[in-house]
Amino acid sequence: MTRSVFFQFVARVMLPVLLIFSLMLMLRGHNEAGGGFVGGLVASCGVMLMTLAYGPDEVRQRFKIDFLRLMFWGLLIAVFAGVLGLFAGGAFLEAEWWKPFIQGIGRLELGTPLLFDIGVYIIVLSVTSSIVMSMAEEGERND
Amino acid sequence: MLLFGIVFAPAITALVLALVPQKWLARLTPIVPAAIFVWLAATQVGADTIVTAEMPWFPSLGVTLSFFLDGLGLLFALIISGIGALVLIYAGGYFEKPADRVRFSIYTLIFMTAMLGIVTSSNLLLLFVFWEITSITSYLLIGFKNESSAAREGARRALLITAGGGLALMAGILLIGIVGGTFDLQTLLNNPDVLRESGLYLPITLLIFAGAFTKSAQWPLHFWLPGAMEAPTPASTYLHSATMVKAGIFLLARMSALLNGTDLWLYTLTIIGLITFVYGAIIALRQTDLKAILAYSTVSWLGILVAVQGAANEYAAVALAVGVLAHALYKAALFLMVGNVDHATHTRLIDRVGGLARPMPITFAAALVASLSMAGIPPLMGYLSKETLNAASVYDGLPALLAALLPIGVVIGAAFTVTVAFRVLYDTFLKRAPAGSDLHPHEANIPMLAGPVVLGVLSLALPFLLVPLLDPLISQTATAIRQTPTAVHLHLFEGFNTPLLMSIIAVGAGLLLFTIRQPLIRGLQKLPEFNPVVIYQWFFFTALPVFADRLTMRLQNGRLQFYITIIFASFITLISGIILLARLSFLDGDVLAHFDWRIAVVCLFIIIGAVSTIFAPTRLSAIVVAGIEGSLLSLLFAIYGAPDLAFTQMMIEVVTLVLFVLAFHFLPDAFVAQKSRVGRALDLLIAAGMGVMVTLLILVANSNQIGEPISDWYIENAVSLGQGQNVVNILLVDFRGLDTMGEITVLIIAAIGVTALLRFRPASQPRGGQFLTKNVEPPPEEPLPPEDESHDEESEEANEEEIS
């Protein structure tokens, strides 16, 4: 497959933009439009762009991330968020909040739903990316 | 509470042993069952009260961990713990590799807990759980030498048959629970007529029979038991002779007070049991493998234990109790003896061994006592058992048919049993070793002698300890079986009566048959064998796979078009059926209440897009148009004030487009018409029907508001409970977090599936480019899962939004 240098440039510029945007989407999801699911999709768009521009092999080498493995970490985080509720005396997945006040920054709102959302984000990102990459790989092999 | 300890101590020991798989620890394991045995024998034999223990388990389902130890359970628990200890000791000498011994001990200890659980469970569901655990541990033990295909086959056969019977038992138990209103055995036994008087008596009894007959290897389902002889000999001794196969007998005895007294009970048990008794005894004679001989003679003895339960009178209860005990003692000793012979000579074929009495004197002595007991020679346990059995068979109250059949059957079966016993004893130990045989037999080591010797001593001594030990124990057991106080006084000699005469005839005939055994065995071996295993083989390995194959070929033929047709057609049928049957109205509400011209315009574009997709010349153009459709949909969401959905929908469209483009790599670009005009007309019909149904569904949902929409609750509580402003996201991660958990799990499974299909597909399958020429649909590497998933969520959320 021939690679377009222009496309590669765009992909490289877009990747950090998309990743930061996706993180922002995930973090603000609790109060404004966004969330782990759509955040994960945006992030996977970044990976997808890179895959289309550079080919799956190079992306694999550069990122050194095994998405198949990463998705289980995501699930683990989500389950852990659920178990935290259990430990706090509630039911599985019952939300627990922790709101420390930090001088100069303001009140942080940390809770198990956020942790759960991070799990969702990781899973959506890694599932989509792994499917895209394996399909792209299969395409390369046939060329 | 002590009862919990007794039941679970072996399993806990197994757990410890699994964590610390050391030889020295395995060596200590016999202490556990031995301690249980001593406690039971010291405190429970002759006790007046019944020990119970209870603990809630699933209170909402009425399942409690409740145990009780009555006379019946006590007899079996003594056998289980006593022989269990001997077998664990025996294993120390039998297995050469320490790892094997540890593994064997673990399985056996788990089995022991399961078996103790069966005989002491008060809750029937609990009994069922233990019942299934014995099937599984039996499977593991039969397949112990898992590198041997015969062992694997034997294990699978035993599991299929006994687990199948277990399913029947479960159905029976559930019916009992429905009829009796409780699963508690003690409660049921206090009100014993409730099952007999119900209309479900017949199915309950037949299902219980199915469970008992499969477990206790009754003809014609007996064939798994000889196959189970692939297990290591100590396992065969323990499971397939002394304890597990008697679980069916136990079940019948346990249920007897609830179900007996009918013709169904009387005739089924007596006739099936009698057939098994005579058949097993005759077939045992024609075997040449010592273990197979003992296996068939076990089948035979299980048959008589079933047969005597039919009449369910006092004599029958005594015959059952004494029979179970006597058989456990002598058959376990004989099995262990075969293990010693196998160990010493490396063969179990009766034609190859001989003259082992001299090199193996202690084994011989134990085998002598055991086989004489099996033959029913006084004054051994077997003799006592045969006397009680004969007495039960000539009981006055039997109907004419059985009064004639039962004594004759008992004598014939007993005669063959005598022949088998003498043959095993004589041909193994006394007959001259066959010429040219190259055996270098040696006496077994001490652990392997302990079992046979102890069991032999018990067979010999117990009949002389009638008053202090046996009478109270058998009385307790008979009382528990009949649920009426029964005092039993056994006697070694009761004067010249019919039972004694029957014994004499049986032994005489057996000896006569023994003298002519060579031609007899040859004759039997020539007989055509009706073996039900053929049916089993056909059913499980021809009929079922072929059926499954055909079904799969029909339904899972790999054509995505076909799948979609099936799914849509079912959807149309279901929805139209529900709407018609329930007479749902769909034009009640004001359909145009929220009419908005912007939406109408967007919808118009969507319709135009949908139609043009059909006429798109290439796949790529079709998918681009579909992508535009998706974008228009997200515009709809935006108009309705759902930025979350709109944004997510856009992202989904982007990802889907890329995935489709990647997938099209494997497909020809242009569509190829594969269907006839009729087929396409049908497709059109289904597509139109689908559209109509979805529209109807929306109208129905609009017109039939049953309860308050939950979306209001979500909006009200988002801040107070969910601590956030974005209701959609709080719904996803908090209110309905468990749903999301399920969905992300499905996502992962889908990703694994796609990866597996792409990476590990067989090399023979045609690769991408060849689809062009072959003109077949692609392998199902559709990128649908994530898309599907999100659509689900989308529609869910869309509903919420719409309602709000």
Side-chain angles (χ1 to χ4, degrees):
Chain A
M1 200 186 276
T2 50
R3 311 262 178 227
S4 149
V5 178
F6 178 68
F7 187 32
Q8 288 181 341
F9 173 72
V10 171
R12 268 166 75 175
V13 173
M14 285 304 285
L15 179 68
V17 176
L18 285 170
L19 284 181
I20 290 167
F21 181 49
S22 73
L23 286 173
M24 193 190 87
L25 273 177
M26 179 189 69
L27 290 176
R28 72 169 202 172
H30 217 61
N31 288 314
E32 289 165 81
F37 189 84
V38 69
L41 280 176
V42 171
S44 64
C45 279
V47 178
M48 224 155 63
L49 268 179
M50 292 296 283
T51 310
L52 292 177
Y54 288 92
D57 294 336
E58 194 162 343
V59 171
R60 238 181 248 285
Q61 275 172 16
R62 276 194 193 199
F63 284 160
K64 293 202 173 63
I65 294 173
D66 185 353
F67 287 111
L68 269 179
R69 200 162 288 205
L70 187 65
M71 62 178 85
F72 289 100
W73 283 106
L75 190 61
L76 209 65
I77 290 172
V79 171
F80 178 66
V83 174
L84 275 185
L86 210 60
F87 278 130
F92 181 66
L93 278 173
E94 196 170 310
E96 290 298 325
W97 290 93
W98 183 58
K99 300 183 175 176
F101 188 85
I102 294 170
Q103 208 70 41
I105 299 177
R107 188 170 285 282
L108 276 180
E109 296 201 353
L110 301 173
T112 53
L114 179 65
L115 198 60
F116 186 76
D117 226 10
I118 292 175
V120 173
Y121 173 93
I122 294 177
I123 290 172
V124 172
L125 165 65
S126 47
V127 165
T128 318
S129 304
S130 78
I131 292 178
V132 167
M133 299 230 314
S134 34
M135 288 189 62
E137 261 170 7
E138 186 67 17
E140 300 256 294
R141 227 182 296 162
N142 280 317
D143 285 332
Chain B
M1 286 303 115
L2 199 57
L3 216 43
F4 282 118
I6 287 185
V7 171
F8 290 107
I12 294 166
T13 317
L15 194 68
V16 173
L17 189 57
L19 294 173
V20 189
Q22 296 296 325
K23 200 176 159 192
W24 59 267
L25 197 60
R27 204 175 283 156
L28 292 179
T29 52
I31 295 173
V32 176
I36 295 173
F37 178 83
V38 168
W39 183 82
L40 288 171
T43 67
Q44 294 303 305
V45 176
D48 296 327
T49 50
I50 291 174
V51 184
T52 59
E54 199 170 295
M55 198 189 274
W57 189 16
F58 293 121
S60 52
L61 292 177
V63 183
T64 39
L65 283 174
S66 57
F67 296 97
F68 75 121
L69 187 69
D70 65 352
L72 182 62
L74 175 63
L75 176 72
F76 276 88
L78 282 171
I79 295 174
I80 294 160
S81 55
I83 296 187
L86 294 177
V87 162
L88 283 173
I89 294 172
Y90 186 90
Y94 182 82
F95 290 104
E96 274 151 25
K97 285 188 219 143
D100 279 350
R101 180 184 183 184
V102 168
R103 189 155 66 99
F104 174 85
S105 304
I106 291 172
Y107 293 162
T108 306
L109 286 162
I110 295 172
F111 167 80
M112 203 180 289
T113 282
M115 202 61 215
L116 287 169
I118 289 180
V119 301
T120 55
S121 286
S122 180
N123 190 301
L124 282 170
L125 293 174
L126 190 61
L127 186 149
F128 170 73
V129 171
F130 285 125
W131 183 279
E132 292 298 73
I133 297 176
T134 62
S135 291
I136 293 166
T137 39
S138 157
Y139 170 80
L140 291 171
L141 281 166
I142 299 171
F144 194 83
K145 288 170 258 174
N146 48 24
E147 68 280 2
S148 136
S149 71
R152 293 197 301 269
E153 173 52 33
R156 183 166 61 177
R157 187 182 293 178
L159 186 69
L160 284 173
I161 299 295
T162 55
L167 287 179
L169 173 66
M170 182 176 74
I173 286 174
L174 292 178
L175 286 182
I176 291 176
I178 291 168
V179 172
T182 177
F183 291 111
D184 189 62
L185 261 171
Q186 293 170 88
T187 317
L188 285 166
L189 287 170
N190 284 334
N191 187 11
D193 289 326
V194 63
L195 298 181
R196 257 184 298 261
E197 284 162 3
S198 89
L200 289 173
Y201 172 78
L202 179 72
I204 288 175
T205 312
L206 290 180
L207 289 167
I208 297 289
F209 282 172
F213 288 177
T214 46
K215 199 78 162 177
S216 282
Q218 295 299 296
W219 182 90
L221 294 168
H222 63 275
F223 55 85
W224 70 265
L225 186 54
M229 291 302 135
E230 291 295 331
T233 301
S236 308
T237 311
Y238 193 38
L239 274 72
H240 308 120
S241 155
T243 58
M244 188 186 85
V245 287
K246 294 206 178 77
I249 310 291
F250 170 84
L251 182 71
L252 292 174
R254 190 54 112 198
M255 305 306 293
S256 176
L258 297 171
L259 300 172
N260 71 19
T262 59
D263 280 355
L264 175 71
W265 180 273
L266 175 63
Y267 284 99
T268 315
L269 291 188
T270 313
I271 289 173
I272 292 285
L274 214 52
I275 291 175
T276 312
F277 182 46
V278 176
Y279 172 87
I282 294 175
I283 297 296
L285 196 54
R286 74 179 218 186
Q287 304 299 321
T288 48
D289 180 348
L290 275 168
K291 259 180 115 174
I293 297 174
L294 294 183
Y296 276 103
S297 97
T298 304
V299 168
S300 158
W301 193 253
L302 292 169
I304 199 63
L305 291 179
V306 166
V308 293
Q309 297 208 50
N313 53 47
E314 187 188 333
Y315 292 99
V318 173
L320 177 69
V322 179
V324 166
L325 182 59
H327 178 260
L329 292 178
Y330 73 69
K331 196 54 75 60
L334 286 176
F335 264 105
L336 294 180
M337 173 278 281
V338 172
N340 289 357
V341 168
D342 191 10
H343 217 257
T345 64
H346 302 289
T347 181
R348 298 196 310 243
L349 294 179
I350 200 162
D351 303 334
R352 297 240 187 100
V353 295
L356 296 178
R358 190 159 305 202
M360 306 175 74
I362 304 174
T363 305
F364 170 66
L368 179 72
V369 175
S371 28
L372 291 182
S373 177
M374 177 175 167
I377 306 294
L380 300 163
M381 264 311 279
Y383 164 74
L384 209 56
S385 158
K386 206 150 277 182
E387 288 299 285
T388 56
L389 182 65
N390 293 342
S393 75
V394 295
Y395 176 69
D396 278 340
L398 292 171
L401 174 69
L402 296 183
L405 269 182
L406 198 53
I408 296 174
V410 165
V411 170
I412 294 177
F416 274 97
T417 307
V418 170
T419 316
V420 171
F422 280 123
R423 178 174 179 224
V424 168
L425 182 70
Y426 184 84
D427 285 357
T428 313
F429 291 100
L430 300 173
K431 171 191 76 176
R432 197 183 301 240
S437 70
D438 180 30
L439 311 168
H440 300 289
H442 53 86
E443 185 57 287
N445 49 32
I446 290 172
M448 293 174 75
L449 287 173
V453 167
V454 170
L455 292 167
V457 168
L458 280 176
S459 280
L460 196 60
L462 275 181
F464 296 103
L465 298 170
L466 286 179
V467 178
L469 279 180
L470 219 47
D471 279 351
L473 180 63
I474 300 300
S475 302
Q476 269 172 300
T477 311
T479 304
I481 295 171
R482 304 183 61 226
Q483 290 292 308
T484 15
T486 311
V488 181
H489 299 289
L490 298 166
H491 303 283
L492 269 178
F493 181 69
E494 286 192 79
F496 282 101
N497 51 13
T498 330
L500 185 61
L501 188 67
M502 287 169 73
S503 274
I504 294 171
I505 296 175
V507 173
L511 283 173
L512 190 70
L513 288 173
F514 175 70
T515 54
I516 57 161
R517 66 186 186 285
Q518 299 298 359
L520 185 67
I521 291 168
R522 273 197 297 277
L524 280 174
Q525 279 167 345
K526 277 189 201 119
L527 277 182
E529 182 180 19
F530 166 67
N531 201 341
V533 76
V534 181
I535 300 172
Y536 157 85
Q537 287 284 1
W538 174 82
F539 182 74
F540 280 108
F541 301 103
T542 309
L544 266 186
V546 166
F547 175 72
D549 244 27
R550 294 213 177 129
L551 196 69
T552 314
M553 292 298 274
R554 284 231 146 233
L555 294 180
Q556 307 279 320
N557 56 10
R559 301 182 68 91
L560 301 182
Q561 235 181 12
F562 177 77
Y563 297 166
I564 282 210
T565 310
I566 292 284
I567 292 169
F568 283 2
S570 324
F571 181 83
I572 293 168
T573 322
L574 262 178
I575 298 301
S576 57
I578 290 170
I579 291 178
L580 286 176
L581 285 178
R583 296 172 192 283
L584 291 172
S585 55
F586 44 84
L587 284 174
D588 282 1
D590 186 358
V591 180
L592 297 177
H594 303 288
F595 182 80
D596 184 337
W597 62 269
R598 291 175 302 172
I599 291 172
V601 172
V602 176
C603 286
L604 189 69
F605 277 112
I606 290 183
I607 293 169
I608 293 171
V611 174
S612 54
T613 320
I614 303 172
F615 296 104
T618 61
R619 285 176 205 269
L620 195 60
S621 54
I623 203 62
V624 167
V625 178
I628 296 170
E629 298 273 281
S631 318
L632 287 170
L633 192 65
S634 78
L635 194 60
L636 269 189
F637 289 146
I639 294 173
Y640 272 120
D644 255 309
L645 299 194
F647 189 35
T648 311
Q649 180 67 34
M650 277 310 284
M651 292 314 301
I652 290 290
E653 287 309 325
V654 172
V655 175
T656 313
L657 191 69
V658 173
L659 284 172
F660 266 123
V661 169
L662 287 170
F664 286 169
H665 209 79
F666 308 105
L667 294 175
D669 189 38
F671 288 110
V672 184
Q674 295 180 340
K675 282 194 167 180
S676 63
R677 291 183 83 85
V678 182
R680 291 168 67 131
L682 193 70
D683 286 352
L684 184 66
L685 207 65
I686 289 175
M690 191 68 188
V692 171
M693 284 308 139
V694 172
T695 313
L696 277 180
L697 205 58
I698 292 168
L699 288 174
V700 165
N702 200 36
S703 312
N704 296 273
Q705 192 82 263
I706 301 169
E708 282 295 303
I710 196 172
S711 43
D712 294 337
W713 187 90
Y714 285 138
I715 291 170
E716 275 163 31
N717 291 291
V719 177
S720 60
L721 289 177
Q723 317 224 7
Q725 305 285 335
N726 182 350
V727 183
V728 175
N729 199 50
I730 287 164
L731 191 71
L732 284 176
V733 298
D734 195 343
F735 289 151
R736 308 297 303 264
L738 202 60
D739 290 359
T740 310
M741 182 71 90
E743 281 160 6
I744 53 182
T745 313
V746 171
L747 266 186
I748 290 184
I749 294 170
I752 294 171
V754 171
T755 312
L757 280 173
L758 284 176
R759 261 194 220 169
F760 307 115
R761 63 174 191 198
S764 61
Q765 212 169 324
R767 290 242 157 190
Q770 288 161 328
F771 285 118
L772 272 172
T773 51
K774 287 219 166 177
N775 217 5
V776 286
E777 288 289 318
E781 46 213 355
E782 73 267 65
L784 285 174
E787 191 204 25
D788 257 355
E789 194 55 33
S790 54
H791 274 310
D792 275 349
E793 240 159 69
E794 243 51 277
S795 52
E796 215 173 82
E797 290 162 5
N799 286 339
E800 302 297 342
E801 289 293 317
E802 265 169 50
I803 297 162
S804 66

